[in-house]
Amino acid sequence: MSIPKKYSLETDVVFVGHDDQFNSSVPPLYQTATFKQESLSNMGEYDYTRSGNPTRTTVQQHLAKVMRAKSVFAVTSGMSAMDTISRLLSPGDEVIAGDDLYGGTHRLLVYLQKMSQIKVSHYDTTDTDLVKSKISSKTKMIFLESPTNPLIKCVDVREITRHAHEVNPECIVVFDNTMMSPILMNPLELGVDIHYESATKYLNGHHDIMAGVIAVNNQDLAAKIYFIINSTGCGLSPFDSWLLVRGLKTLALRVERQQENAIKIAHWLESKGLKVRYPGLKSHPQYELHKSIARGPGAVLSFETGSVETSEKIVDGCDLFGVTVSFGCVNSLISLPCKMSHASIDEKTRSERALPEDLIRLCIGIENCDDLIGDLEHSLRVAGAI
Ligand SMILES: *Cc1c(COP(=O)(O)O)cnc(C)c1O
């Protein structure tokens, strides 16, 4: 037997291992809810798709390679991944979370606080010393995200995790890696216990499925997570698992091009005198920190214009940039978070978190970069921003 070779991530995302009786060149789709058994004394590997399905197994094993994890679980959305993880908590447990987490994550934490007596404290996670000082032997779970969006705040996940495990070896550090994807960052290698992502974004890359993934190395945690997924029935459907495998193959290629475009656009906007937030710019306050934990700045950035009215005109004036929530798609998107993805957060909390009302978020796609800059330039000129 040959020793399995270690390949780079760019190769691993393309090379999907699977077994098929006809040697199909892409994994087959088992669009079936039940599986017949040989006999009562000889049960097969699968019986019911809620508990397991060969197409879901294929995507999970493939993701385990890509996410550099021992076990990966595919579920119906990013929020479903977060819900699964939160069920590891018991009433009275103390939880620490960032103050600029994804809106849906924040909503679920508020619900848990109210309905399950989980004690959640939110802190500015860019202040490493502050977060460290709040971690105690009672801290059961920590939710981190980096860079956040649209404020693009970065977290010293390595140091916070190291400290948390020192104070309480049982503390579960959970990291939402949706903004980076495993191509740019591997949180398990930075020490976290659970790495999860919305696969609706970069992992799938085409905005044609909703999915979430959970990766762990600890086999005790893996068994608990599998129990919850099988009990609640949130495993990813066979067809969506199949589409996720297909999308994943171009992950490295997509992110490389999206990031190349994003770097050019961030510099272009900054050269026009606009205040740009992007971890690939030296002006970003955590430029060095981000570089030390990720292999690139990604493809989401935001900028301010100084006026809500101007920002609205810019968003409405673009042709190529779709006015859409979400990100990670091959197409470029533009949004005004205060009016769209973050509108559910009340104005007071938005101002407490210093979320500027005129902030425009750009999620860069794989188009020709000159076309993208041309579209932005036209829209910015018409709106009077440049
Ligand atoms: C979109 C998103 C989620 C939620 O994922 P869904 O697939 O939409 O449920 C969680 N975290 C981040 C950072 C996201 O961008």
Side-chain angles (χ1 to χ4, degrees), residues 77-79 102 105 145 149 176 178 196 198 200-201 210-211 327:
S77 69
M79 287 325 303
Y102 177 71
T105 308
E145 200 180 308
N149 92 80
D176 179 339
T178 308
Y196 82 100
S198 165
T200 313
K201 317 288 167 60
M210 302 283 306
F327 57 87

Side-chain angles (χ1 to χ4, degrees), residues 43-101:
M43 301 282 214
E45 190 179 343
Y46 297 99
D47 64 348
Y48 194 49
T49 283
R50 171 156 46 73
S51 310
N53 175 287
T55 311
R56 194 189 302 141
T57 302
T58 299
V59 76
Q60 291 182 159
Q61 288 179 347
H62 185 49
L63 279 161
K65 247 186 348 173
V66 174
M67 297 172 86
R68 303 290 194 234
K70 288 211 173 77
S71 304
V72 169
F73 301 95
V75 294
T76 53
S77 69
M79 287 325 303
S80 170
M82 162 75 188
D83 174 53
T84 300
I85 295 161
S86 71
R87 285 169 194 258
L88 295 165
L89 293 165
S90 311
D93 278 354
E94 293 185 13
V95 169
I96 287 179
D99 66 350
D100 188 36
L101 298 174

Side-chain angles (χ1 to χ4, degrees), residues 200-202 205-207 258 265 299-303 315 318-336 340 360-367 372 375-376:
T200 313
K201 317 288 167 60
Y202 288 107
H206 296 77
H207 280 181
Q258 286 166 318
I265 290 169
V300 178
L301 57 127
S302 58
F303 66 99
V315 171
C318 284
D319 281 332
L320 282 175
F321 285 82
V323 183
T324 317
V325 294
S326 194
F327 57 87
C329 189
V330 287
N331 302 87
S332 290
L333 315 173
I334 189 166
S335 67
L336 205 60
M340 298 169 69
I360 295 177
R361 188 181 77 174
L362 297 178
C363 308
I364 308 302
I366 62 170
E367 301 92 338
L372 292 176
D375 192 30
L376 280 174

